Amino acid sequence: MMGDDTTAAGFLLLSVQELAVGVRTEQGQAAFYIGELYQRVMQKLIAVALRNVADCDTAEDIAHEVFVDKVVVRHLSEYSDGNFMGWLCTCVQNRCKSYHKSAVQRREQLTDDASLDGRRGDLQAASPEVEALNDLAFQWAWERFDQEASDL
């Protein structure tokens, strides 16, 4: 783009849309474009995420993950010309929806695991036969261990 002395000043004159185009086209200076783009859009992305999740840390994590995934790693390969900020904000909203879906699935899994553990405990406590078999197996294993230890 420009010489090293005027590069920073040149980035200040570019719009967010032009910075996004620069990330895709200027591979040699992509780091400069990405850094300037990060400074300009991150607060807005966090605000969008905060509208969708209640926790500030989670919102910041989601916004950062989207920026890194879409801009840094993929160099905007999924972005087609148009409103860059609108596209990036939509990506953040979609990631928030995915976060909520996975949170619901985690809660359901924990509930299922807890109910299964409760049922297993009920079956074992309710069955004297199972307790007797466990006691016999333990007693046999202990006697075997004691015998082998004394043989040494």
Side-chain angles (χ1 to χ4, degrees):
M1 176 173 160
M2 299 173 201
D4 289 338
D5 296 336
T6 59
T7 302
F11 285 128
L12 294 176
L13 300 175
L14 296 176
S15 70
V16 171
Q17 195 76 28
E18 292 169 328
L19 288 170
V21 171
V23 169
R24 288 185 5 192
T25 59
E26 301 286 334
Q27 294 300 320
Q29 293 185 330
F32 293 115
Y33 283 101
I34 289 170
E36 184 64 27
L37 199 55
Y38 185 88
Q39 289 178 358
R40 291 198 195 175
V41 304
M42 190 49 61
Q43 292 301 318
K44 172 119 174 138
L45 297 180
I46 292 171
V48 169
L50 271 172
R51 285 189 222 127
N52 293 286
V53 295
D55 181 21
C56 293
D57 292 331
T58 303
E60 189 174 342
D61 289 345
I62 288 172
H64 182 73
E65 286 173 8
V66 167
F67 186 86
V68 168
D69 182 41
K70 303 297 182 184
V71 179
V72 177
V73 174
R74 299 182 189 190
H75 287 278
L76 301 173
S77 62
E78 296 175 356
Y79 168 68
S80 59
D81 294 332
N83 184 352
F84 173 73
M85 277 306 295
W87 172 76
L88 206 53
C89 289
T90 301
C91 291
V92 169
Q93 289 174 336
N94 290 341
R95 186 71 57 100
C96 289
K97 289 176 186 176
S98 296
Y99 170 79
H100 285 299
K101 285 179 185 176
S102 65
V104 167
Q105 290 171 348
R106 284 191 305 269
R107 279 193 297 266
E108 288 174 353
Q109 183 64 36
L110 288 174
T111 303
D112 290 346
D113 290 347
S115 65
L116 286 176
D117 289 343
R119 278 189 248 142
R120 286 186 201 126
D122 291 345
L123 288 176
Q124 290 178 353
S127 173
E129 294 85 9
V130 170
E131 289 181 25
L133 287 173
N134 285 339
D135 288 341
L136 284 175
F138 176 77
Q139 186 64 32
W140 178 82
W142 179 252
E143 288 173 0
R144 177 93 186 227
F145 173 74
D146 190 34
Q147 181 184 11
E148 289 179 9
S150 63
D151 290 343
L152 295 175

